Amino acid sequence: MVRRNDQRRAALVDAAIEVLAREGARGLTFRAVDGEAGVPAGTASNYFANRDELFTQAGARVYERLQPDDDSIPPAGGDRESYAQLMRELVGRVAAFRTGYLALLELRLEATRRPELRKVLTERVRADVDANVAYHEASGLPGDATAVKLLILALNWLIVEQLTLPDVFSEAEREQLITAAVERIVAVE
């Protein structure tokens, strides 16, 4: 029987994200999730039918937690410096949820073996790309949809470097790289 206490389920999924970030996909067990959540042994198995469901729920939840509040998105100016500042804020916000992003990397690898997880992540990433393009088009920022997609790709890898090998680039170098990415990718019309 699968339980329906939504707060407990969310706490268990958040615990799964922490376990994924710390121990990887192989370490994601019901016992590990119970321990991370501080609940009695067997609790997670009462909420999730199997590990596949736990992976899928964690994949959806990590994206929920990475979404900015509408209030936290600064208004966009119409120039590349405003655009670069927006990108710096984005990189900082995502990097601040370190365990979520590391868990997401584990989930992406696991999605190559789990079709349901791949479906959830594909739908979510596609929706995020579309939302970013729509925001860009409505904001009056310079550049086009291709520039948005190129920045997503470039900045995602910068975030990976920052979270996995933080000494490759200093904070000042990361700031310069974000500015350079915007200046070189975004055409001014």
Side-chain angles (χ1 to χ4, degrees):
M1 175 175 88
V2 177
R3 302 250 170 133
R4 293 312 287 154
N5 178 329
D6 291 338
Q7 289 179 324
R8 172 72 54 96
R9 178 181 289 275
L12 290 166
V13 175
D14 286 342
I17 290 167
E18 297 298 317
V19 170
L20 279 166
R22 185 178 59 248
E23 305 200 21
R26 290 186 183 263
L28 185 66
T29 64
F30 287 141
R31 178 175 289 166
V33 170
D34 289 340
E36 181 69 30
V39 297
T43 301
S45 63
N46 288 327
Y47 281 83
F48 306 98
N50 52 45
R51 282 183 76 223
D52 281 337
E53 184 181 351
L54 189 56
F55 277 113
T56 302
Q57 296 263 339
R61 176 77 172 143
V62 105
Y63 277 100
E64 286 172 19
R65 290 183 58 192
L66 282 169
Q67 288 302 307
D69 298 329
D70 288 339
D71 302 352
S72 72
I73 300 173
D79 60 14
R80 288 194 298 199
E81 181 48 41
S82 296
Y83 204 151
Q85 184 55 39
L86 188 63
M87 295 301 97
R88 284 186 211 100
E89 185 279 331
L90 169 78
V91 169
R93 181 175 41 78
V94 173
F97 183 28
R98 183 177 192 274
T99 55
Y101 203 84
L102 293 174
L104 184 56
L105 294 173
E106 289 288 338
L107 288 164
R108 283 177 169 243
L109 290 172
E110 199 61 28
T112 65
R113 297 175 285 279
R114 296 177 187 272
E116 280 302 310
L117 179 57
R118 182 174 39 251
K119 181 177 183 250
V120 166
L121 293 181
T122 298
E123 288 171 358
R124 189 55 202 239
V125 170
R126 183 76 247 170
D128 285 349
V129 169
D130 292 344
N132 280 303
V133 168
Y135 170 80
H136 176 87
E137 290 172 345
S139 71
L141 286 165
D144 60 9
T146 299
V148 173
K149 293 171 188 175
L150 288 169
L151 283 170
I152 289 169
L153 294 170
L155 297 182
N156 269 321
W157 199 257
L158 181 66
I159 293 166
V160 169
E161 288 294 334
Q162 183 175 347
L163 295 178
T164 60
L165 302 170
D167 297 328
V168 170
F169 300 112
S170 69
E171 186 175 337
E173 285 176 302
R174 285 191 299 269
E175 297 286 321
Q176 291 169 346
L177 289 168
I178 292 169
T179 299
V182 170
E183 287 176 357
R184 293 178 183 188
I185 293 172
V186 178
V188 177
E189 297 152 3

